[in-house]
Amino acid sequence: MKLTVSPREGETTLSVVSRLARRNGASFVQDFCADMGVSWRDAANGEAGEIHRLADLAGLDVDGLAAHSVVRVAHPGYRVNKQYLTSKTLVRRELRVCPRCLCEDDRQGGALARHGRLEWLVATYRTCHIHQVPMLTLPDADYPRCRHDFSQRVRDHWRCISRAERELVPSSGLGDLETDIASRIRGLGGHDHARFLDLDLMCRLSEDLGVVLRFGASTYPSKLNRTELARAAEAGFQAIAGGPDALTVAFGEMKVASSSPTPGF
């Protein structure tokens, strides 16, 4: 294949394939894959044979593509770059982006430089750890656009993304949790006191613990807005990152806050 692309640092495999399709003039990534003799559905699910085939066609590193693929391991589990996630912590039906990251991509390299980051796949990643602005959820893809066709979906909603970049306001006091998520899923390791938890458990524990610490034991997470959940998860992560003593104190606060005669987590 003469027209190819170079994967960016931390880029998802589906973003690479979507950019590759656009580089070759395809309007829909599934049509491009079909023309290349590749099953887009299997590639989107991280099937090893299709990832190898795409790597060979585009002259790309197969190990890198495989590592940055979303691979189903056992219901409801997935593996992304050796990190375990579940359907509760992995975002697959929505496309969330940081408008400032994408606009910086565009200014540096044009439309083909816009790419999806691994950390954007994690549900608890609600604030860009670089720009401290909220993640933007794009409108649902309209048929025949596939929801995983990153490059074209960003193109479809570029005006919305550009407007959000100008209007979004950075949030203070957030970002440590998201920095840890990004570091882990990019294979760079996590916070020393959080490494004993897999990524899925760390995300869920941070949020569940933080909701109780910030809003009380009777609060349902589903009743909180995105900003409140982000601040709750950050508070929970700070308790985890503080080490065993801080975590013991946090659990003690939860016990005191509980109205149950036999309080527990």
Side-chain angles (χ1 to χ4, degrees):
M1 185 181 298
K2 292 183 179 180
L3 299 179
T4 188
V5 296
S6 297
R8 302 302 180 99
E9 182 179 352
E11 183 176 9
T12 69
T13 294
L14 294 186
S15 171
V16 174
V17 179
S18 180
R19 290 197 300 121
L20 185 63
R22 187 172 180 183
R23 178 80 171 86
N24 283 271
S27 297
F28 299 95
V29 68
Q30 63 269 32
D31 293 344
F32 168 77
C33 287
D35 290 342
M36 295 297 105
V38 173
S39 168
W40 168 243
R41 181 186 297 273
D42 289 344
N45 288 321
E47 202 280 317
E50 301 307 291
I51 299 301
H52 277 253
R53 191 169 292 110
L54 282 165
D56 289 342
L57 286 169
L60 301 177
D61 174 49
V62 64
D63 291 335
L65 284 186
H68 290 188
S69 298
V70 175
V71 182
R72 186 184 293 275
V73 289
H75 184 74
Y78 299 88
R79 185 180 68 252
V80 184
N81 205 18
K82 299 181 180 179
Q83 296 295 325
Y84 179 77
L85 295 164
T86 64
S87 55
K88 289 186 177 181
T89 48
L90 178 71
V91 179
R92 298 221 76 190
R93 295 188 176 277
E94 296 178 339
L95 180 57
R96 304 179 312 147
V97 303
C98 169
R100 293 196 175 175
C101 284
L102 290 180
C103 287
E104 286 181 358
D105 292 344
D106 188 76
R107 287 190 288 268
Q108 293 170 8
L112 272 175
R114 307 167 192 161
H115 62 284
R117 279 72 164 170
L118 288 167
E119 55 268 21
W120 296 354
L121 299 174
V122 182
T124 320
Y125 189 95
R126 297 186 177 92
T127 305
C128 175
H129 72 289
I130 298 172
H131 300 104
Q132 280 76 54
V133 296
M135 296 293 289
L136 174 69
T137 300
L138 298 186
D140 291 342
D142 292 326
Y143 181 83
R145 176 76 67 222
C146 174
R147 64 173 178 261
H148 299 307
D149 194 348
F150 182 89
S151 185
Q152 294 290 4
R153 289 194 64 191
V154 166
R155 180 189 182 189
D156 291 343
H157 301 290
W158 186 245
R159 287 186 179 180
C160 172
I161 293 168
S162 298
R163 183 172 61 252
E165 190 230 0
R166 296 190 300 270
E167 296 177 352
L168 287 176
V169 178
S171 302
S172 61
L174 296 174
D176 287 351
L177 170 60
E178 283 81 1
T179 297
D180 190 79
I181 290 171
S183 180
R184 284 186 182 221
I185 205 164
R186 291 184 180 220
L188 303 176
H191 193 285
D192 289 344
H193 290 308
R195 287 181 179 176
F196 68 97
L197 302 172
D198 64 43
L199 182 55
D200 175 76
L201 181 56
M202 190 273 289
C203 289
R204 290 188 291 115
L205 181 59
S206 293
E207 188 166 299
D208 291 345
L209 176 59
V211 166
V212 175
L213 291 175
R214 284 190 66 94
F215 300 103
S218 61
T219 301
Y220 289 96
S222 60
K223 301 296 184 181
L224 301 177
N225 62 36
R226 182 173 60 181
T227 300
E228 291 169 333
L229 282 172
R231 295 199 176 280
E234 180 70 20
F237 175 74
Q238 293 298 340
I240 296 170
D245 291 342
L247 197 55
T248 298
V249 171
F251 279 125
E253 292 177 5
M254 291 178 63
K255 185 175 181 179
V256 170
S258 176
S259 58
S260 170
T262 56
F265 189 70

